[in-house]
């Protein structure tokens, strides 16, 4: 349970958000997550597909260079997924 003072402070913060960021306030109130922009989704999916194809091609052709490039691309894809860019 919050104290009376804490509840008042939270109400002040809520009013401040409603005044300064009405769109953010409405989105938070609705509880619906924002859809990721189409460009970000295309970049992430393109990187995933490229990484998988390079790894597969490197294994099929027995090419260490393609396999290495595929592993580097997989590492980049993991970094993108873990970064804020990969999240919606």
């Amino acid at each position: 349970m919050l104290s009376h003072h804490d509840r008042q402070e939270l109400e002040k913060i809520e009013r401040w958000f409603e005044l300064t960021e009405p769109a953010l306030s409405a989105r938070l109130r609705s509880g619906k997550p924002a859809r990721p922009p189409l460009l970000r989704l295309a970049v992430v999916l393109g990187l995933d597909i490229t990484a998988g194809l390079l790894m597969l091609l490197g294994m099929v052709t027995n090419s260490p260079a393609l396999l290495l490039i595929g592993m580097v691309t997989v590492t980049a894809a993991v970094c993108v997924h873990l970064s804020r860019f990969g999240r919606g």
Side-chain angles (χ1 to χ4, degrees), residues 32-54:
K32 295 178 183 175
R35 292 182 48 201
L38 198 54
L39 176 64
R40 178 178 21 208
L41 183 63
V43 168
V44 170
L45 287 177
L47 193 57
D48 290 343
I49 291 169
T50 303
L53 288 176
L54 283 171

Side-chain angles (χ1 to χ4, degrees), residues 2-77:
L2 296 175
S3 68
H4 181 68
H5 174 49
D6 290 340
R7 278 188 299 237
Q8 286 179 334
E9 291 300 313
L10 285 174
E11 287 172 5
K12 285 181 189 176
I13 293 170
E14 183 181 352
R15 276 183 262 141
W16 178 78
F17 265 116
E18 288 174 352
L19 292 174
T20 59
E21 295 289 336
L24 175 63
S25 177
R27 185 174 294 150
L28 289 173
R29 192 173 290 117
S30 72
K32 295 178 183 175
R35 292 182 48 201
L38 198 54
L39 176 64
R40 178 178 21 208
L41 183 63
V43 168
V44 170
L45 287 177
L47 193 57
D48 290 343
I49 291 169
T50 303
L53 288 176
L54 283 171
M55 290 286 291
L56 183 64
L57 190 61
M59 287 186 283
V60 168
T61 61
N62 201 18
S63 170
L66 279 177
L67 197 58
L68 179 63
I69 292 171
M71 290 187 332
V72 169
T73 309
V74 166
T75 304

